[in-house]
Amino acid sequence: MLAFLLACTGGGAVDAKDAATGDTGESVDVDSGADDSGPPDSGDTDSGAAPCGESCRYAGDHPLDEAFAVLTGALRADYAGHSAAVLDFNSDGAADVLVGAHHADDPGTDAGAAYFVPGPIAGAVSLADSRVVALTGARQLDEYGKHVAAGDDYDADGLVDALVAAEQDDEGEERAGAVYVIHASVIRAGSARDVGVKLLGEGNSDRFGQSVATGGDLTGDGLPDVAVGGGGNAYVFASPFGADLPASAAAARLTPENAAAGDAVAAGDLDGDGVNDLLVAAPADDAGGTQAGAVYLLHGPVVSMGLESADSKLVSPISGANLGYGLAFLGDTNGDGHDDLGLGAPVADGGDLSSGVVYVLAGPAPVGVASDWPSATLEGVAHTDFAGRSVGAPGDLDGDGFADLVTGADSATGVVSGSGLAYVVYLPLVGTASLGDVGVRLLGVAESNGAGSFVGGAGDLDGDGHGDLLVGDYQASLTGDGAGALWLFSGRP
C-alpha cells in the first residue's frame, strides 16, 4: 500500500499532498503560471476561483465513451490516435487537435496521414469531415503521423507549429526516416511534401523520427529547438528552419552508451535555469539488469556528446522493465518549487508479471548514475497490463496547486478484456502504491483496442476553464475495423 504520512488531524490519515500544504481537507485553486504565448495550458486555467477540493476530482471508473468528444479514424486500419497534440493552427483562439494516423493508405499503403481538427470540438467527429485539414504521407509505407508534437513557434509568427514524423521515409536512405516541421501559417490539405521542412535521417533503417518532441530552447540561443530519436541516437535541431536538413546538420548529436537510445525523448526545464533540459530513453540498457532500461538527463545547453557523459543516468531498479517508453516533465507535483518527472517502465513486474510501473522523480535529479531515485512507484495491476507505455503531463487537474499525472495501460482490461485504459493520478504521492488503488480509471470500451497507448494533457478543449485529457485508442473500430480513435475527456467531473 501507499506510504501515507500521518498528521494530527483528529486521528485521520493525510496523504503527501495534505502534509506538504498543511491542508486537512480543502484545496486552493491556483493558476498554473504557464506562459500564455504558447498553446493552451495543459493544466488548470482558473484564476481566483473558489476552492473545490474533492469535487474537482474524478473517482472510480469511467468508460471512455463518457468523453465530451471523440475523433474517429477516416477508414478501416488507419490507426488514428496513436499520437496527438494540441495547437491553434488557424489562429482563431480555439484549441485545435492534431491527430496522427500512420496506417492511412492515401496515396499508397501505410503512407500515413496527419489530421488538423479545428476547435471547438464536441461529440463524435470523423477525421473524414470536410472541416478537418488532412496532410497525407508523401509515399507508401512512410508511416507519416506515427508520432506528432506541437508547442513551439519556429518561425516567430506567434503561431504554434507542428512536428510530424515519418519514421519509414526513404528520401535520405531506405527507411532512414524523417520529421516534418510544419509552420501553422502554411497548413493546408494535400501532400506532406508540399507543406513543411524535412529533417532527414541518415542511415538505412534508422527510423529517424521514432520519437519527436518540441524542445523549447535546448541550445541556449533563446530560440525553440526540436528533439528527435532515431538510429540509436538522439538529435537536437536548432531553429529557424528554412530548408531541409540532414541529421548530420543537427546542433547536437547524442550517441548511445551501451544500448540504442532515443526510443523516447522529452524536454523541459528541470533545473529552472531558463534553458531546457533533455531526457533520452534507452529502454534496452542493461545497467540495472538485462533490459532494465535507463533514462539520461542532459541539462541545457545541450551539445554533442556520448550519453555516458550525461548529467544523470536514471537506471531502472527492476530488471527487464524497459524503463523509458513513457517520459514526461510533469511540473511541480509536491510544492517544493522543483519540476518533477514521470517515467514509464511498461514491462516491469509491478503488481504482476509485466504489469508495468510508473515512477515519479521529485526534482532536482541526482547527479551521475542512480538507481535509488524514485520518490513514488505506481504499479500496474495485472499480468501484461503494460502500465507506463505512455505517460502524460496534464498539469494541475484538480486546481490544488500540484501537477498531476496520466498514464496508459494499453493491454489492461477496461470495460472488456484487453480494451486498455488510462489512469489519472492526483499527486503528490510517496512510496509504493498500486495504480488500482490510487488511479482513476478511464476504461477502453471494446476488446483488444489498445486504449491508453497514447495519453496527454490537452489544455482547455471543452471551454470550462480547466485542462482536459487526450486518450489514444488507435485500434478502435467505431468507424471501421482498426480505424482508430482519440478520446477527449474533460479534466474535471
Side-chain angles (χ1 to χ4, degrees), residues 223-400:
L223 300 175
D225 305 313
V226 174
V228 182
N233 306 297
Y235 302 84
V236 174
F237 291 83
S239 67
F241 302 104
D244 293 355
L245 290 175
S248 58
R253 175 174 176 163
L254 308 165
T255 56
E257 179 181 14
N258 56 29
D263 295 71
V265 292
D269 188 6
L270 191 64
D271 56 4
D273 67 352
V275 179
N276 273 7
D277 311 313
L278 182 66
L279 296 177
V280 180
D285 184 272
D286 294 332
T290 302
Q291 294 201 359
V295 174
Y296 297 89
L297 171 66
L298 298 94
H299 291 300
V302 177
V303 298
S304 294
M305 68 175 72
L307 285 169
E308 65 275 7
S309 300
D311 295 289
S312 303
K313 180 180 181 180
L314 307 175
V315 175
S316 170
I318 301 176
S319 182
N322 286 165
L323 175 70
Y325 271 109
L327 300 178
F329 283 81
L330 297 175
D332 185 2
T333 67
N334 58 7
D336 66 354
H338 297 286
D339 279 358
D340 306 318
L341 303 176
L343 309 178
V347 194
D349 297 336
D352 203 339
L353 293 175
S354 297
S355 62
V357 170
V358 178
Y359 298 103
V360 177
L361 180 149
V367 176
V369 179
S371 58
D372 186 20
W373 50 268
S375 57
T377 299
L378 309 175
E379 297 182 334
V381 175
H383 178 58
T384 63
D385 275 2
F386 300 133
R389 175 86 76 190
S390 56
V391 180
D396 178 11
L397 291 172
D398 54 356
D400 65 354

Side-chain angles (χ1 to χ4, degrees), residues 27-31 44-52 56 399 464-466 492:
S27 300
V28 178
D29 190 5
V30 299
D31 187 85
D44 182 54
T45 56
D46 261 2
S47 75
C52 57
C56 288
D464 67 353
H466 310 295
R492 291 192 182 179

